[in-house]
Amino acid sequence: MKSLICTLLLLGFSSVFSIQQQEDENEVSQQLSSEDGRPKLASTDSQQNCHLCFPDIHAALRELTAMITEQKANDRAFETRLREAEQAAEQQMFLLEELNKKNDALSNLTQSQVEELRKDNRDKEIAFSAALMQSSSGNIGPFTTDITLTYRNVFTNIGNAYNPITGIFTAPLKGVYMFHISLYGPASQSTPSTIGIIKNGQLVVMAHAHQAQNVVNSSKGVVLLMEVGDVVYVRLFSNRRISDNQNNHNTFSGYLLFPLRE
């Protein structure tokens, strides 16, 4: 574009210079003619050159003006597109920064939630299972009154909600719990084997067996809604007898099925 403009300007200057030189020559010729007393006309070729030069310069200038106008329009359009692209880029950067902030917040929230869930799950891990005797064997009962059985051979006690000294399970969370007992005893004509699951002093279910020969066994299970501090234990009823040995026939087990909101 710059080279074209320079070329056109040089062409214009050259034409003007040629015209001026021709006019000077004509003026000198006229002066000589006047001195000789003879009129002398300007060269026909010079006149034709003048007529040819001016239209070419005007056409070139018009073309140059049109090209400059078009280039300015193109420049304005390019600047407009550039500004739009810059605005779009700024908007994209803003959206990206907002997205990164949301991702960071979500990541932090997710990590805190995971830690909270882990803590909650640790608090909700409640299960126990125990048998009557740790190493010895023999009969328990009959007694003249009901007694609470203490299952001292503990297999599992996650959450430490079961006390092997007292034989009592205390609910640490409000929720739904599963409890199970198994019964084993000697055969007898007169003394049956009877135990029961007791919740807060009230009989819930009973396991009973009685026959004259061999041995007896039974089992029971129950699902209970427990409040915090509720207690569950196993009772051997009066005038009843059970027995156990290293095979751990008599067991007491329980676990939290799911917690409930307070």
Side-chain angles (χ1 to χ4, degrees):
M1 183 66 183
K2 292 181 178 180
S3 61
L4 177 60
I5 294 173
C6 292
T7 302
L8 292 173
L9 291 175
L10 291 173
L11 177 62
F13 291 149
S14 299
S15 300
V16 171
F17 178 76
S18 298
I19 294 169
Q20 184 64 41
Q21 185 180 11
Q22 187 64 42
E23 288 178 352
D24 293 341
E25 291 176 357
N26 291 338
E27 185 177 353
V28 170
S29 298
Q30 290 176 359
Q31 290 176 357
L32 293 175
S33 298
S34 60
E35 292 175 357
D36 294 339
R38 292 174 298 171
K40 189 173 182 179
L41 297 176
S43 173
T44 304
D45 292 339
S46 298
Q47 293 175 354
Q48 289 177 353
N49 287 335
C50 291
H51 288 297
L52 289 174
C53 287
F54 282 109
D56 290 343
I57 291 173
H58 292 317
L61 290 175
R62 285 194 299 271
E63 183 179 357
L64 178 60
T65 302
M67 292 176 65
I68 292 174
T69 303
E70 182 181 0
Q71 185 62 37
K72 287 182 178 180
N74 291 336
D75 291 342
R76 286 192 295 270
F78 176 75
E79 291 175 355
T80 301
R81 291 195 298 271
L82 182 60
R83 284 193 299 270
E84 292 175 351
E86 290 175 349
Q87 292 174 356
E90 291 177 356
Q91 186 177 9
Q92 291 296 326
M93 287 297 296
F94 175 77
L95 293 176
L96 182 59
E97 290 176 357
E98 291 296 317
L99 183 60
N100 289 334
K101 291 179 182 178
K102 290 181 179 179
N103 287 337
D104 292 340
L106 181 61
S107 177
N108 294 333
L109 179 62
T110 301
Q111 291 177 359
S112 62
Q113 286 178 335
V114 168
E115 292 300 323
E116 188 67 24
L117 287 174
R118 286 176 178 172
K119 182 178 181 300
D120 290 344
N121 288 335
R122 285 193 297 268
D123 295 338
K124 295 171 185 176
E125 293 172 350
I126 302 168
F128 76 96
S129 183
L132 271 177
M133 298 182 180
Q134 290 180 313
S135 58
S136 60
S137 62
N139 296 332
I140 301 174
F143 302 103
T144 58
T145 185
D146 298 347
I147 66 165
T148 297
L149 293 173
T150 56
Y151 295 81
R152 298 181 181 276
N153 188 9
V154 177
F155 305 126
T156 305
N157 194 13
I158 299 172
N160 295 315
Y162 173 71
N163 188 337
I165 305 302
T166 63
I168 297 174
F169 172 84
T170 304
L173 292 174
K174 179 181 179 179
V176 178
Y177 293 77
M178 175 71 189
F179 296 97
H180 182 270
I181 55 174
S182 62
L183 176 149
Y184 179 86
S188 173
Q189 288 282 0
S190 58
T191 306
S193 298
T194 309
I195 61 175
I197 294 178
I198 309 298
K199 175 188 175 185
N200 297 334
Q202 300 296 319
L203 175 65
V204 181
V205 294
M206 179 184 292
H208 174 80
H210 186 202
Q211 63 185 32
Q213 297 179 351
N214 299 321
V215 295
V216 297
N217 56 69
S218 180
S219 64
K220 279 292 172 61
V222 65
V223 175
L224 296 177
L225 173 62
M226 303 280 286
E227 300 287 342
V228 175
D230 285 350
V231 296
V232 170
Y233 52 92
V234 180
R235 176 180 292 169
L236 174 65
F237 293 98
S238 60
N239 301 315
R240 301 296 191 266
R241 180 173 57 190
I242 60 175
S243 63
D244 211 345
N245 54 35
Q246 67 275 9
N247 294 320
N248 299 315
H249 295 289
N250 290 276
T251 59
F252 177 32
S253 303
Y255 53 90
L256 174 66
L257 291 174
F258 53 87
L260 297 175
R261 294 183 180 274
E262 296 292 339

